[in-house]
Amino acid sequence: MTIAFFDFDGTITRKDTLWEIIRFHRGSAALYAGIIQLLPALVRFKLKMISAQQVKEQVLGYYFGGIHTSAFKRSCEEFCRTKLHEVIRPKALAAIKDHQQKGHHVVVVTASGQDWVAPWCRVLNIVCIGSQLEAVDQHITGNLLGKNCNGEEKVDRIRKAYRLENFKEIYAYGDTKGDLPMLELAQHRFFKPFR
């Protein structure tokens, strides 16, 4: 058995899909107005004063907080059906299909929300492991359930889902330092391979 782990944003896609799902769901004007409101938090993150999870939760809460889960799910599925293909790297898609043709198990492991990545993965028969958004009384809070799926958390989530010793070969694809722990799991490691 062979398994291939792919990061999503920047590796499979050309853009960060968090901003793309916001643009799709709220529109460009609301996206840019929100960035101005969120600028203090974004600056604090760049200065390493707050964590990636803290800034992500502020962004999610600002744009999606209070939205009913069913409406959010519909929007995410529509995004995957109509827009996501515009930012997919053709070489990444070809690599995924090559693995599948060889009978390899393919998994996307992403810090992005499963809500807007998993529908795309399901169409391609790929497993999706991603950050999960919290909902209370069927409304998005903006908080994450558990940790942001990045860095060592990617490895923890992979190990919870798979017994890696059962796989003869492991491939991993990523494009940021947050992917390096996942790449360390693999005999075949690819950093920024589709650019």
Side-chain angles (χ1 to χ4, degrees), residues 14-35:
R14 292 182 290 102
K15 295 181 178 180
D16 187 323
T17 56
L18 172 59
W19 301 109
E20 294 306 302
I21 187 68
I22 291 167
R23 187 192 308 276
F24 180 80
H25 191 83
R26 298 289 304 274
S28 292
L31 168 65
Y32 297 126
I35 288 173

Side-chain angles (χ1 to χ4, degrees), residues 117-154:
V117 181
W120 181 83
C121 290
R122 276 196 299 273
V123 170
L124 292 174
N125 199 27
I126 300 170
V127 173
C128 179
I129 297 173
S131 296
Q132 297 177 312
L133 277 64
E134 178 189 69
V136 174
D137 297 326
Q138 295 187 315
H139 288 84
I140 302 293
T141 66
N143 294 326
L144 296 178
L145 273 177
K147 294 180 182 176
N148 188 36
C149 188
N150 196 32
E152 291 295 339
E153 181 64 13
K154 287 194 175 193

Side-chain angles (χ1 to χ4, degrees), residues 7 30 42-43 66 77 85 93 99-100 119 143-144 148 161 194:
D7 168 58
L42 296 169
V43 169
E77 288 175 349
H85 66 90
L93 190 57
H99 278 293
Q100 290 178 313
N143 294 326
L144 296 178
N148 188 36
F194 309 120

Side-chain angles (χ1 to χ4, degrees), residues 44-55:
R44 285 198 301 275
F45 169 65
K46 284 292 184 190
L47 295 174
K48 300 187 184 332
M49 296 167 67
I50 60 174
S51 70
Q53 177 148 347
Q54 288 172 313
V55 74

